[in-house]
Short mmCIF file of all heavy atoms in Angstrom, two decimals:
data_model
loop_
_atom_site.label_atom_id
_atom_site.label_comp_id
_atom_site.label_asym_id
_atom_site.label_seq_id
_atom_site.Cartn_x
_atom_site.Cartn_y
_atom_site.Cartn_z
N LYS A 18 21.61 -7.52 22.15
CA LYS A 18 20.47 -7.32 21.29
C LYS A 18 19.31 -7.71 22.17
O LYS A 18 19.35 -8.51 23.11
CB LYS A 18 20.51 -8.22 20.08
CG LYS A 18 20.70 -9.70 20.37
CD LYS A 18 21.08 -10.46 19.13
CE LYS A 18 21.44 -11.94 19.50
NZ LYS A 18 22.27 -12.60 18.59
N PRO A 19 18.13 -7.04 21.94
CA PRO A 19 16.93 -7.31 22.75
C PRO A 19 16.59 -8.73 22.52
O PRO A 19 16.89 -9.31 21.44
CB PRO A 19 15.85 -6.37 22.16
CG PRO A 19 16.51 -5.50 21.16
CD PRO A 19 17.87 -6.01 20.87
N THR A 20 15.92 -9.38 23.50
CA THR A 20 15.54 -10.72 23.27
C THR A 20 14.01 -10.83 23.03
O THR A 20 13.32 -9.84 23.14
CB THR A 20 15.89 -11.53 24.59
OG1 THR A 20 15.43 -10.79 25.69
CG2 THR A 20 17.38 -11.78 24.69
N GLY A 21 13.62 -12.11 22.65
CA GLY A 21 12.20 -12.32 22.47
C GLY A 21 11.68 -11.55 21.25
O GLY A 21 12.41 -11.26 20.32
N ILE A 22 10.42 -11.24 21.26
CA ILE A 22 9.72 -10.69 20.11
C ILE A 22 10.31 -9.34 19.77
O ILE A 22 10.35 -9.00 18.62
CB ILE A 22 8.18 -10.59 20.37
CG1 ILE A 22 7.40 -10.21 19.14
CG2 ILE A 22 7.79 -9.66 21.50
CD1 ILE A 22 7.19 -11.29 18.14
N LYS A 23 10.75 -8.56 20.77
CA LYS A 23 11.22 -7.23 20.51
C LYS A 23 12.47 -7.25 19.62
O LYS A 23 12.64 -6.41 18.77
CB LYS A 23 11.69 -6.55 21.82
CG LYS A 23 10.43 -5.76 22.48
CD LYS A 23 11.04 -5.02 23.62
CE LYS A 23 10.06 -3.98 24.14
NZ LYS A 23 10.49 -3.42 25.40
N ARG A 24 13.27 -8.31 19.80
CA ARG A 24 14.48 -8.36 18.90
C ARG A 24 14.05 -8.39 17.45
O ARG A 24 14.64 -7.70 16.55
CB ARG A 24 15.23 -9.64 19.19
CG ARG A 24 16.26 -9.97 18.10
CD ARG A 24 17.09 -11.24 18.42
NE ARG A 24 17.83 -11.55 17.20
CZ ARG A 24 18.51 -12.76 17.07
NH1 ARG A 24 18.41 -13.60 17.97
NH2 ARG A 24 19.13 -12.96 15.94
N TRP A 25 12.95 -9.14 17.13
CA TRP A 25 12.57 -9.28 15.78
C TRP A 25 11.70 -8.09 15.25
O TRP A 25 11.83 -7.78 14.09
CB TRP A 25 11.78 -10.59 15.55
CG TRP A 25 12.62 -11.77 15.96
CD1 TRP A 25 12.56 -12.47 17.13
CD2 TRP A 25 13.72 -12.26 15.20
NE1 TRP A 25 13.57 -13.45 17.08
CE2 TRP A 25 14.26 -13.40 15.91
CE3 TRP A 25 14.31 -11.96 13.97
CZ2 TRP A 25 15.36 -14.10 15.50
CZ3 TRP A 25 15.37 -12.70 13.51
CH2 TRP A 25 15.92 -13.79 14.28
N LEU A 26 10.90 -7.52 16.14
CA LEU A 26 10.07 -6.39 15.70
C LEU A 26 10.89 -5.16 15.42
O LEU A 26 10.62 -4.44 14.52
CB LEU A 26 9.07 -6.12 16.78
CG LEU A 26 7.75 -6.84 16.74
CD1 LEU A 26 6.82 -6.46 17.95
CD2 LEU A 26 7.06 -6.59 15.55
N PHE A 27 11.87 -4.96 16.27
CA PHE A 27 12.67 -3.64 16.15
C PHE A 27 14.01 -3.80 15.55
O PHE A 27 14.84 -2.92 15.50
CB PHE A 27 12.79 -2.98 17.52
CG PHE A 27 11.45 -2.77 18.21
CD1 PHE A 27 11.26 -3.18 19.58
CD2 PHE A 27 10.45 -2.19 17.46
CE1 PHE A 27 10.00 -2.97 20.15
CE2 PHE A 27 9.16 -1.95 18.12
CZ PHE A 27 8.98 -2.39 19.44
N THR A 28 14.31 -5.02 15.01
CA THR A 28 15.67 -5.26 14.52
C THR A 28 16.00 -4.38 13.35
O THR A 28 15.15 -4.11 12.46
CB THR A 28 15.83 -6.74 14.20
OG1 THR A 28 17.19 -6.93 13.81
CG2 THR A 28 14.95 -7.16 13.00
N THR A 29 17.29 -3.98 13.33
CA THR A 29 17.75 -3.25 12.21
C THR A 29 18.97 -3.99 11.65
O THR A 29 19.67 -3.52 10.83
CB THR A 29 18.21 -1.82 12.55
OG1 THR A 29 19.14 -1.92 13.61
CG2 THR A 29 17.04 -0.94 12.89
N ASP A 33 19.17 -10.52 10.86
CA ASP A 33 17.82 -10.79 11.42
C ASP A 33 16.79 -10.50 10.36
O ASP A 33 15.87 -11.32 10.16
CB ASP A 33 17.56 -9.86 12.59
CG ASP A 33 18.25 -10.29 13.86
OD1 ASP A 33 18.83 -11.44 13.77
OD2 ASP A 33 18.25 -9.58 14.85
N ASN A 117 13.96 -2.44 8.29
CA ASN A 117 12.98 -2.98 9.23
C ASN A 117 11.65 -2.73 8.67
O ASN A 117 10.75 -3.69 8.62
CB ASN A 117 13.19 -2.31 10.53
CG ASN A 117 12.08 -2.74 11.57
OD1 ASN A 117 11.00 -2.38 11.43
ND2 ASN A 117 12.49 -3.49 12.58
N TRP A 121 8.54 -5.32 7.70
CA TRP A 121 7.44 -5.49 8.56
C TRP A 121 6.05 -5.04 8.01
O TRP A 121 5.03 -5.35 8.52
CB TRP A 121 7.70 -4.82 9.97
CG TRP A 121 8.35 -5.82 10.81
CD1 TRP A 121 9.68 -5.68 11.29
CD2 TRP A 121 7.88 -7.06 11.33
NE1 TRP A 121 10.03 -6.79 12.06
CE2 TRP A 121 8.92 -7.65 12.08
CE3 TRP A 121 6.66 -7.75 11.23
CZ2 TRP A 121 8.82 -8.84 12.74
CZ3 TRP A 121 6.56 -8.94 11.93
CH2 TRP A 121 7.59 -9.48 12.65
#
Side-chain angles (χ1 to χ4, degrees):
Chain A
K18 56 195 175 202
T20 47
I22 187 81
K23 271 187 168 173
R24 166 177 171 194
W25 300 103
L26 273 178
F27 304 131
T28 183
T29 54
D33 281 355
N117 174 291
W121 275 112

